[in-house]
Amino acid sequence: MNTPNNSQPPLWQRVWRSAVREPFTGDRRSRLRLVMNNLILHLHPAQVPARTLRFTYTWGLGGLAALLVVILGATGMLLETAYTPSPDKAYTSILALSTRIWFGQFVRNVHHWSGNLMVIVVALHLLRVFFTGAFRTPREFNWLVGITLLLLTVVANFTGYLLPWDQLAYWAITVGSSIIVYVPFVGTGLSNILLGGPEIGPATLLNFYALHISIIPIAIFGLMSLHFWRVRKDGGLSLPRGVDEPPVSKDENVLTVADLVRPEIIWAIVALAAIALWSALVNAPLEALANPDASPNPAKAAWYFMGIQELLLHFHPLVGAIVVPLLGLLGLAALPYIDSDMNSVGIYFRSRRGRWLALFSVAVGTWLTALYIVLDEFLIDWVGWLPGIPTLLSNGVLPLILLLLGIIGYYDGIRAGFRATKCEAGLSVFMLVFTGFVVLTLVGVFFRGAGMKLMFPWEIIPTH
Amino acid sequence: MTDQKQTPAAPEHLPDPTPRRDFLRLGLTALAGVAAVEAGAISIGFFLPRLNEGEFGSVFKCGAVDKFPNGSVTPFNEGRFYLVRTQEGGFLALYRKCTHLGCAVPWDQAKKQFICPCHASVFDQTGAVLNAPAPRPLDLFAVTIANNQVQVDTSRAISRDRFDQTQVVYP
Ligand code: HEM
Ligand code: FES
């Protein structure tokens, strides 16, 4: 090597400069340029309206979801190197994580808990976007992108669930994928393709593995990029507003570095520490090796499908598992194209009346759902009351029509009884239905014991 | 004159007067469509079930006819089925996968019923539903009897709406 040229800075500095593109001096201009010159930071605009930084507006939920994706990617890549996707080796390779591989159990725990947490966080993020009316013009399309991301998050969890190949995995996936069979005409074919055969076997494990480690993560990564890009193109976040505040069109801008980036980093570290602590204390579950000859009793789907499984106990499978969830999803997707009341964007729950109606609807939804579940267990018997009629009609179409009429009646009642605007009444219906779904999920997870009988949580004997 | 000069600069934004260009555009769109369909078909075809000889999904040799007394139910775990011999001496192979949500249904010898542990569906010895939520009887596998030997083909589950005598295979 030549003697270093005195006019040039040392080599390490030149490498560093070439990487960061521009030296950072800390003044205003340099801060603005930093955001544009940095690959990760440039997801942000260089300046943001001060009020969008209010933590109680976004609760940092979108950011937390993104952080979880990063954590899942990092731990997933580690796990991938220790795992064999075949029925005779999968379970032992998971066991080896806790016995032979340094930090294996910890890494598995972080991955497991982050995955489950992500379902909750993404759902909460959807709720906050809904509550603040942030899905309205021009953000309709990003709402659709978001729904797809939520679905992908659930599918990612579902495919990962099978990989440990223990009793829990085997039967939860059996029950979960059997729901697909009820899709009219193509159900069996779809299920055969997904499972690689008529029931779970080596081909299923390989299919799920491929979906879990490449197809779905790549899709999530791509859609997340689209999602972030649209947030910026749609003019940044919707502006938060107090209930009685007049509409705001502009706000004082602050610099992204560091007024936005600093809290982001702090919260990311806090979240990371919380997840690490939890994962150090609580192990991800692992039951006995999968046994295709013996279903446990009760055999439950993964918790995020328990709402649908609970519906299945009450209605004909085609209605309970396919039509109702699909209608819910369609309603969610259509929402920004139906509800375009721009007056309440940025206000939590639309208005003062909206807040009361939301609370009221949560109470009504809780009571009605719980009441129906109990009545259905002991009293209601559509099939018995209407003998000779196909169960699809008596236990499916008929209750479905009653349900839809009930929802329409609720909407009209709220409109007339409380003089609510369309958008407040829409909020009420959403809260009613969403609460119903949450109650179904909770009942499925905590109040169903052997033979799926209704019982109190403390009466349920664990299967393992 | 000026208009004509500008045409080549931004051709896709102006109404296109030449039918040849229309034709090419249509052809390209059609080709792109065909390519997309092909790519889709390849992906789906690639995912289609693949079955291995000797595993579940192939033909099982169950043994001689008189190994199975009338009224008996014999499990074949490898093949995921029960070989049922009716009181009249006929054979049925019942896929043990519950038609409700897919649990493995055990045979209760004392009650002479199949009782699903998952959501309590009950089936009789022919696989017919005695108790919901199962929407239809247990699926069948094709039984063939040749040279007094019983064989069951597990490659395809046959679904049915109810039990009837034509489903029973006699030696
Ligand atoms: C993997 C899942 C997701 C990730 C990582 C994600 C990430 C983000 C981030 C970081 C933001 C910026 C503001 C904030 O944190 O609230 C955001 C905004 C937004 N998200 Fe998501 N999101 C996801 C799923 C969803 C879902 C399920 C929906 C709704 C169906 C949705 C709809 C929106 C909308 C409309 C905005 C703009 C909000 C506004 O302008 O106030 N996203 N998302
Ligand atoms: S799976 Fe057998 S009753 Fe539900």
Side-chain angles (χ1 to χ4, degrees), chain A residues 58 62-63 65-66 125-126 128-129 134 139 143 146-147 227-228 237-238:
Chain A
T58 64
H125 172 60
L126 180 147
R128 103 84 182 133
V129 171
R139 301 186 177 82
W143 171 261
I147 291 177
H227 195 60
F228 296 161
L237 290 196
S238 52

Side-chain angles (χ1 to χ4, degrees), chain B residues 51-117:
Chain B
L51 295 169
N52 297 326
E53 291 287 327
E55 285 176 9
F56 171 60
S58 61
V59 176
F60 278 78
K61 297 187 175 66
C62 303
V65 168
D66 22 284
K67 246 175 71 186
F68 307 98
N70 287 0
S72 70
V73 174
T74 317
F76 283 81
N77 282 346
E78 283 290 291
R80 312 274 195 266
F81 65 88
Y82 293 99
L83 191 64
V84 173
R85 187 146 197 206
T86 60
Q87 294 300 346
E88 296 79 36
F91 284 96
L92 279 170
L94 302 178
Y95 188 12
R96 70 163 184 210
K97 183 176 177 168
C98 182
T99 52
H100 179 230
L101 286 178
C103 287
V105 189
W107 169 246
D108 188 324
Q109 182 60 39
K111 292 190 179 143
K112 299 244 175 251
Q113 285 172 342
F114 295 98
I115 304 174
C116 184

Side-chain angles (χ1 to χ4, degrees), chain A residues 4-22:
Chain A
N5 185 339
N6 274 345
S7 66
Q8 283 225 11
L11 181 62
W12 67 267
Q13 256 188 30
R14 282 166 56 209
V15 173
W16 172 249
R17 288 243 179 104
S18 69
V20 299
R21 300 190 70 218
E22 248 176 60

